[in-house]
Amino acid sequence: LERQLLMQNQMRERQTAMQIAWTREFLKYFGTFFGLAAAGLTAGAIKKKNPGVLLPIVPLSFIFAYQYDMGYGTLLQRIKGEAENILDTESTLLELPKGPLTYEDLEKMRRSQSKFFIEK
């Protein structure tokens, strides 16, 4: 059982590392896009003398800030803290519908789905 728990934790850590690495890689591309878009929209706003052209920068900046916080900031620590809070104070939200799955429930489903199972 201890080996299984260690293996599950290793898999979770690797998946989290992959998620962070993916976010950091995405941020490079999105940061470039955001910079070019901001420069282009600013130039367009100056050329047309219309500040409304800059409006798309607002949602793009929120996306950029979120991705940066996920890749290099404290977002994961805040998420972890909130998850711990939910586990400690709101555990009823985590209950499965119809309660936890039991071996008997699994056997019932397996029997109902099996075409070759014969009841004795």
Side-chain angles (χ1 to χ4, degrees), residues 5-21:
L5 290 172
L6 287 171
M7 184 180 70
Q8 286 176 345
N9 192 47
Q10 280 287 318
M11 292 302 294
R12 182 194 56 77
E13 287 178 356
R14 290 176 186 199
Q15 288 173 342
T16 302
M18 285 293 292
Q19 181 183 7
I20 294 168

Side-chain angles (χ1 to χ4, degrees), residues 23-91:
T23 299
R24 288 179 178 180
E25 191 63 26
F26 177 79
L27 186 61
K28 292 174 189 173
Y29 288 95
F30 187 77
T32 303
F33 165 74
F34 178 74
L36 291 172
L41 290 171
T42 302
I46 292 170
K47 184 177 179 183
K48 293 186 177 191
K49 297 182 182 175
N50 180 6
V53 175
L54 293 172
L55 203 56
I57 289 179
V58 175
L60 290 175
S61 64
F62 278 99
I63 296 168
F64 182 77
Y66 175 83
Q67 291 295 332
Y68 183 85
D69 196 17
M70 180 73 147
Y72 295 101
T74 59
L75 181 63
L76 289 177
Q77 285 90 9
R78 294 193 315 269
I79 290 172
K80 181 182 169 198
E82 184 61 25
E84 289 171 353
N85 181 47
I86 291 168
L87 288 168
D88 292 341
T89 62
E90 302 177 66
S91 60

